[in-house]
Amino acid sequence: MLSYSSYILIALAALSVTCHALSKCPGASGLPGIPGRDGLKGLPDSLATKYHNALANLERRLFRLEAVLVLNGKIRKVGEKVFASNGKRVDFASALQSCEEVGGTLAAPTNEEENKAIMDIVKQHNQYAYLGIRKGEASGQFTYINGTPLKYINWHQHEPNGKGREKCVEMYTDGTWNDKKCNMNRLTICKF
Ligand code: MMA
Ligand code: CA
């Protein structure tokens, strides 16, 4: 049987995970994203302290797990974003599907630092990867999967050259991009 306070603790933990995912955590207590004792309004002091400490502990445990994954080369972190591959080479639609199935999407660099992080994974596997960029049916422009315009590009010299026949984009091992047909087998790299 769970106590009343356990339920609140679980709810707070869930809230914290959700707000981290949305990068919209409630403010301010020293630890980013963890409400301070006085941020837990309406709770008795002793409970607020308990919940604050429990959440701070969860954050330390998450930090530790992520550090191990980074150490082992399983993930790359850039700001709030995490990039990771399942090591599989599949067509564009299957790559996107496997990322979305686990709550991510196909990785698409929005700046040089992200491009480098994704390139490191491409190099690690020595396999070109599909990026989360495709040619819009209506606009004829390359956009992110969600349809928004590109903030950053890193085309290889003379690319894109597909003249509409190459609607997907692959990353080469030097980090430059090539427009490419969508039915090739390319490394899957997801963003979370
Ligand atoms: C291939 C194909 C194209 C790319 C050229 C570069 C011959 O076509 O990968 O997408 O632009 O190579 O030479
Ligand atoms: Ca091309």
Side-chain angles (χ1 to χ4, degrees):
M1 211 12 212
L2 287 176
S3 68
Y4 172 63
S5 60
S6 304
Y7 281 114
I8 296 178
L9 192 54
I10 289 163
L12 283 170
L15 171 71
S16 174
V17 167
T18 307
C19 80
H20 275 283
L22 299 172
S23 309
K24 282 178 187 160
C25 294
S29 64
L31 283 172
I34 302 291
R37 287 161 201 74
D38 48 1
L40 299 169
K41 286 200 181 61
L43 289 179
D45 252 22
S46 62
L47 267 188
T49 300
K50 204 168 130 198
Y51 299 150
H52 169 83
N53 290 341
L55 288 173
N57 249 320
L58 280 174
E59 190 159 84
R60 279 188 282 272
R61 292 177 63 189
L62 278 177
F63 182 91
R64 193 172 63 182
L65 279 175
E66 288 189 348
V68 172
L69 291 172
V70 168
L71 183 71
N72 291 353
K74 301 291 186 190
I75 64 170
R76 281 176 181 65
K77 296 186 69 185
V78 179
E80 292 293 297
K81 297 182 186 174
V82 171
F83 299 106
S85 176
N86 59 6
K88 293 190 175 145
R89 298 171 73 247
V90 292
D91 64 36
F92 175 85
S94 308
L96 177 57
Q97 191 179 359
S98 23
C99 291
E100 287 182 341
E101 268 170 11
V102 290
T105 189
L106 262 186
T110 65
N111 57 47
E112 196 179 332
E113 195 185 2
E114 291 180 6
N115 201 78
K116 160 91 164 53
I118 296 165
M119 179 185 74
D120 287 345
I121 300 175
V122 166
K123 282 181 165 164
Q124 181 177 28
H125 293 266
N126 195 27
Q127 295 289 340
Y128 298 170
Y130 275 127
L131 297 178
I133 294 172
R134 64 183 157 194
K135 198 156 204 159
E137 291 297 343
S139 69
Q141 301 293 304
F142 284 100
T143 68
Y144 300 114
I145 303 283
N146 67 11
T148 58
L150 300 183
K151 298 185 222 286
Y152 164 88
I153 54 171
N154 195 33
W155 295 113
H156 194 268
Q157 206 175 26
H158 308 309
E159 306 294 347
N161 64 355
K163 308 215 176 83
R165 292 185 304 273
E166 299 181 317
K167 297 181 193 302
C168 288
V169 177
E170 64 183 354
M171 179 183 279
Y172 291 145
T173 41
D174 68 354
T176 62
W177 307 358
N178 173 38
D179 59 341
K180 190 74 179 177
K181 289 171 70 181
C182 301
N183 61 355
M184 314 294 292
N185 286 332
R186 291 292 177 265
L187 183 65
T188 306
I189 301 177
C190 308
K191 179 203 82 174
F192 301 96

